[in-house]
RNA sequence: GACCCCAUCGUCUAGAGGCCUAGGACACCGGGUUUUCAUCCCGGCAACACGGGUUCGACUCCCGUUGGGGUCACCA
């Protein structure tokens, strides 16, 4: 059977890094298995969903190169279908209308009492819970409400679904059995009746649990007595996430659900919903969270780490994709830099880590620096040109000159945004870091040496070999160790201690600018302070 | 609090009982190449959370503790 996976974001804001990582893993899995990667826009939250968010989402996916199959499914278009399914669930007894709290009547999905058609429910063993005598036990179609006894002997009010208490028997403070559920359960489930029991001390029951096998975490399970029937239709008649999500997964024939492990609690309920709807639950794979520097998962409330910010800060889509894939997954060999094809070929869910991963911006940057030099010259020039346009000096640069600068800088650029620091190639007046000026220019003999370099440059052809030679001549003549003058020269001409090769920089800057800056250095910088 | 999940260098990870004196990468610190910058090369620092089992043998399996995270909505 062909695998079908989906990415199902709700368009309520920017796409954050954890979200997009889920998309990446789904996409990789689909492409690896030759299946389909579907996009479903879960826009049922009308209050918060916006079309701008959808537009942005599509743009982000496209930027990262995550191409999806078929047209996106908008969940809001399926409202009628969702409601229809809730009705059929009510009809066959898997759901029921219920007056809950202040609002009107909602529809609740019933954690199944009768598990015959629910292969994901199994018996565990008999269990007993001590009850607080001050709080009566109430039992009705909605479930059980009771109070456990805390360590300090205080009542801990608890509500559970009825299904958690097969073979339930309740004892009073005299250890006498005062209630058995099995004989009356049909009546209770049929509705209306509420049983209330006072002076209780203990209850015993057969514990059952829902379980499923997770491709990443292995077998996961949760006891039914720790679960409650859940709202699937609001009092205003609109379906909630659980219903819509599961119904649409059925509709789209999703075979594998790959999502964050913050959904595990939901999955216990969703597998039952699938079965109630007459469908086999898909295979699940719960990804560990990506956590921020504070060790917390990125959330919608996190002001940072949106995918768009990485793009805006000069990261390459390929580098981001590569890096994010390595967060929580590894190919099992000492291999990190992989292109799309290699990632797709190697990606399997069983190699996904089950513990959370922390984003390391250093490593991303390093990865980016591996990709930039490989970029086609024209592409690189185009990208950095866009960055530079917003700089005061970058509006109307000569395109040939800019290209020459970009070519020189490409191999030492780790982020497109670093092109903002190229101002010294274009500005008339450049700024100097006082610290470096003091360290490299305000030393004995430097002014004289720079003066000589200026003179020497003036009298030779302005070409790479002769420029280099001119500088060497000065160091030789003044008996300065070779290379010793390069740093002062660099500071004098660019203001900063790092950049491209100094000879190439001189050539690009041109004789006039070089001589002017040398003069400035000699007359102002070397002497001041 | 209850339930669920997780646990190897600072970070990402390799490791499916003996290949482990625990490997790689980023970061950091040295050194070399580049007569300069970046790249590159070499080296260093640095981890199996703790306690019990199981076993001839445990980073690997089991239990417990501790710590971290998630969920407990008519939000998705």
């Amino acid at each position: 059977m062909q695998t079908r996976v989906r990415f199902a974001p709700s368009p309520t804001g920017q796409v954050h890094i954890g979200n997009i990582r889920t998309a990446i893993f789904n996409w990789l899995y689909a492409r690896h298995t030759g299946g389909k990667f579907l996009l479903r826009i879960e826009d049922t939250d009308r209050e918060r969903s916006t079309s701008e968010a959808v537009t942005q989402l599509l743009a982000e996916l496209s930027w990262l190169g995550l191409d999806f199959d078929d047209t996106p499914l908008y969940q809001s278009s399926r409202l009628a279908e969702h409601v229809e399914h809730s009705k059929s669930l009510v009809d066959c007894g898997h759901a029921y209308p219920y007056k809950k709290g202040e609002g009107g009547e909602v529809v609740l999905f019933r954690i199944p009492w009768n598990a015959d058609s629910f292969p994901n429910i199994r018996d565990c063993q008999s269990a007993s819970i001590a009850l607080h005598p001050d709080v009566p036990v109430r039992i009705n179609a909605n479930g059980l409400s009771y109070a456990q006894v805390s360590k300090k002997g205080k009542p801990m009010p608890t509500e559970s679904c009825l299904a958690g208490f097969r073979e339930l028997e309740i004892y009073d403070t005299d250890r006498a059995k005062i209630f058995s559920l099995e004989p009356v359960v049909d009546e209770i489930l049929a509705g209306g009746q509420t049983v209330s029991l006072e002076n209780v001390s203990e209850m015993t029951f057969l514990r059952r649990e829902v379980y499923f096998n997770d491709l990443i975490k292995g077998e996961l399970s949760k006891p039914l007595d720790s679960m409650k029937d859940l709202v699937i239709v609001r009092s205003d008649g609109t379906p909630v996430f659980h219903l819509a999500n599961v119904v649409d997964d059925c509709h789209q024939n999703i075979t594998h659900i790959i999502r964050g492990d913050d959904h595990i609690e939901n999955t216990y309920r969703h597998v039952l919903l699938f079965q109630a709807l007459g469908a086999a639950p898909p295979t699940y794979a719960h990804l560990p969270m990506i956590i921020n520097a504070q060790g917390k998962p990125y959330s919608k409330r996190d002001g940072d780490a949106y995918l768009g910010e990485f793009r805006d800060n000069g990261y390459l889509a390929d580098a981001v994709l590569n890096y994010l894939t390595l967060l929580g997954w590894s190919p099992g060999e000492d291999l990190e830099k992989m292109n799309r094809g290699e990632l797709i070929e190697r990606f399997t869910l069983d190699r996904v880590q089950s513990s959370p991963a922390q984003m390391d911006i250093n490593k991303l940057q390093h990865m980016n620096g591996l990709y930039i030099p490989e970029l086609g010259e024209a592409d690189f020039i185009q990208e950095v040109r866009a960055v530079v346009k917003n700089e005061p000096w970058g509006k109307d640069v000569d395109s040939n000159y800019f290209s020459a600068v970009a070519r020189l800088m490409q191999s030492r650029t780790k982020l497109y945004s670093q092109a903002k620091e190229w101002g010294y190639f274009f500005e008339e007046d450049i700024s100097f870091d006082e610290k470096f000026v003091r360290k490299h220019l305000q030393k004995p003999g430097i002014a004289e040496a720079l003066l000589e370099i200026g003179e020497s440059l003036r009298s030779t052809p302005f070409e790479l070999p002769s420029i280099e030679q001119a500088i060497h001549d000065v160091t030789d003549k003044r008996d300065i160790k070779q290379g010793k003058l390069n740093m002062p020269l660099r500071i004098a001409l660019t203001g900063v201690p790092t950049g491209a090769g100094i000879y190439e920089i001189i050539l690009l800057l041109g004789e006039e600018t070089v001589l002017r800056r040398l003069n400035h250095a000699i007359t102002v910088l070397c002497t001041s302070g």
Side-chain angles (χ1 to χ4, degrees):
Chain A
M1 185 172 63
Q2 189 186 44
T3 59
R4 293 169 65 84
V5 299
R6 60 15 177 222
F7 176 51
S10 50
T12 55
Q14 302 225 56
V15 187
H16 66 81
I17 216 74
N19 240 216
I20 207 69
R21 205 273 305 251
T22 303
I24 291 172
F25 279 34
N26 272 284
W27 178 80
L28 285 170
Y29 187 70
R31 296 294 171 254
H32 176 81
T33 56
K36 297 269 191 197
F37 174 62
L38 306 174
L39 179 63
R40 182 165 81 229
I41 311 286
E42 302 213 332
D43 54 352
T44 50
D45 187 344
R46 296 259 172 70
E47 303 278 296
R48 297 190 300 151
S49 299
T50 65
S51 61
E52 293 77 46
V54 174
T55 308
Q56 198 187 355
L57 174 76
L58 293 171
E60 312 272 36
L61 288 175
S62 148
W63 177 71
L64 251 195
L66 304 185
D67 53 320
F68 49 84
D69 302 300
D70 303 345
T71 49
L73 178 69
Y74 286 80
Q75 193 160 59
S76 56
S77 73
R78 306 227 338 117
L79 194 117
E81 196 96 7
H82 301 148
V83 172
E84 184 106 353
H85 278 89
S86 79
K87 284 185 180 140
S88 64
L89 283 174
V90 170
D91 287 345
C92 59
H94 288 310
Y96 57 99
Y98 188 74
K99 275 203 174 54
K100 195 167 185 271
E102 297 300 299
E105 201 167 65
V106 296
V107 177
L108 294 182
F109 172 65
R110 192 193 308 284
I111 306 296
W113 170 265
N114 181 346
D116 291 350
S117 55
F118 291 81
N120 283 63
I121 291 178
R122 81 199 357 164
D123 293 350
C124 300
Q125 58 209 180
S126 28
S128 100
I129 291 178
L131 296 171
H132 197 104
D134 291 355
V135 181
V137 173
R138 293 173 164 278
I139 305 170
N140 63 21
N142 180 233
L144 222 66
S145 121
Y146 56 100
Q148 303 184 54
V149 183
S150 76
K151 289 186 195 97
K152 291 174 189 158
K154 293 196 169 150
M156 297 198 305
T158 313
E159 285 179 40
S160 304
C161 61
L162 214 52
F165 301 92
R166 209 82 218 222
E167 296 173 21
L168 175 71
E169 308 203 311
I170 297 178
Y171 301 84
D172 68 9
T173 44
D174 297 327
R175 310 289 314 152
K177 187 197 292 184
I178 53 170
F179 180 77
S180 291
L181 178 57
E182 298 282 337
V184 295
V185 71
D186 289 337
E187 252 175 280
I188 289 173
L189 285 174
Q193 164 179 9
T194 296
V195 175
S196 188
L197 303 160
E198 315 233 339
N199 293 319
V200 291
S201 70
E202 189 192 13
M203 61 181 177
T204 61
F205 58 97
L206 172 64
R207 177 160 279 153
R208 296 189 296 170
E209 65 185 10
V210 52
Y211 71 100
F212 65 94
N213 189 56
D214 188 276
L215 251 25
I216 293 165
K217 306 211 181 236
E219 188 180 280
L220 264 21
S221 65
K222 186 180 177 72
L224 295 191
D225 54 290
S226 69
M227 298 173 74
K228 278 159 69 175
D229 292 353
L230 62 141
V231 175
I232 55 175
V233 179
R234 300 185 185 94
S235 53
D236 66 1
T238 58
V240 304
F241 162 72
H242 303 290
L243 211 224
N245 189 262
V246 169
V247 166
D248 287 349
D249 281 332
C250 291
H251 174 70
Q252 294 191 108
N253 291 312
I254 301 303
T255 61
H256 297 257
I257 293 181
I258 303 165
R259 49 163 41 157
D261 67 8
D262 52 337
H263 277 287
I264 287 180
E265 297 289 328
N266 289 333
T267 301
Y268 293 120
R269 312 192 268 200
H270 290 189
V271 292
L272 300 178
L273 255 175
F274 273 104
Q275 287 166 348
L277 288 164
T283 304
Y284 286 91
H286 287 97
L287 308 172
M289 303 273 92
I290 296 182
I291 56 182
N292 60 26
Q294 289 75 45
K296 304 280 183 188
Y298 288 105
S299 76
K300 284 172 188 158
R301 274 148 253 143
D302 244 316
D304 52 309
Y306 293 123
L307 182 63
E309 289 177 0
F310 289 97
R311 184 195 55 222
D312 296 345
N313 287 335
Y315 289 93
L316 260 86
D318 282 344
V320 171
L321 180 81
N322 192 161
Y323 176 73
L324 251 24
T325 303
L326 256 20
L327 233 43
W329 177 83
S330 83
E333 28 188 332
D334 292 333
L335 191 60
E336 298 202 323
K337 186 165 175 296
M338 288 166 278
N339 62 35
R340 275 154 206 274
E342 292 168 321
L343 289 172
I344 289 169
E345 187 189 330
R346 291 182 168 77
F347 185 81
T348 56
L349 286 171
D350 59 356
R351 292 203 57 84
V352 174
Q353 201 84 2
S354 55
S355 52
Q358 196 171 83
M359 181 94 182
D360 181 2
I361 203 76
N362 273 321
K363 193 149 180 172
L364 208 209
Q365 207 171 101
H366 173 260
M367 181 77 59
N368 211 54
L370 256 30
Y371 276 87
I372 283 189
E374 291 183 353
L375 213 57
E377 207 174 274
D379 291 335
F380 178 71
I381 291 171
Q382 192 186 340
E383 293 287 349
V384 285
R385 186 74 192 82
V387 166
V388 152
K389 277 212 169 72
N390 298 318
E391 295 302 304
W393 47 266
K395 281 208 165 51
D396 306 301
V397 298
D398 176 79
S399 96
N400 284 334
Y401 179 62
F402 181 81
S403 298
V405 170
R407 271 193 291 273
L408 183 61
M409 296 304 288
Q410 180 169 1
S411 67
R412 35 216 121 197
T413 300
K414 284 190 169 183
L415 294 173
Y416 292 142
S417 52
Q418 287 170 342
K420 290 176 189 166
E421 292 153 21
W422 298 352
Y424 60 80
F425 282 107
F426 303 91
E427 288 173 300
E428 193 76 358
D429 296 313
I430 59 175
S431 56
F432 297 88
D433 188 314
E434 202 186 322
K435 197 174 69 196
F436 296 116
V437 168
R438 216 176 307 126
K439 188 173 172 193
H440 296 289
L441 292 181
Q442 291 168 9
K443 290 284 162 69
I446 295 296
E448 291 77 4
L450 292 181
L451 187 66
E452 267 185 57
I453 288 175
E455 281 164 10
S456 185
L457 284 174
R458 213 188 301 267
S459 58
T460 51
F462 211 74
E463 289 155 7
L464 208 49
S466 46
I467 289 171
E468 203 167 333
Q469 192 54 51
I471 294 163
H472 290 174
D473 286 348
V474 174
T475 50
D476 288 349
K477 188 176 144 199
R478 300 181 65 87
D479 202 24
I480 296 171
K481 205 178 162 201
Q482 291 219 321
K484 237 351 190 197
L485 227 38
N486 282 324
M487 192 48 88
L489 198 49
R490 180 179 290 281
I491 299 294
L493 297 178
T494 71
V496 290
T498 57
I502 190 63
Y503 313 120
E504 284 91 344
I505 290 175
I506 291 173
L507 183 67
L508 264 181
L509 284 175
E511 187 166 4
E512 192 203 324
T513 304
V514 169
L515 293 177
R516 183 162 40 77
R517 287 186 188 169
L518 280 178
N519 187 48
H520 176 74
I522 295 160
T523 56
V524 181
L525 299 173
C526 291
T527 56
S528 67

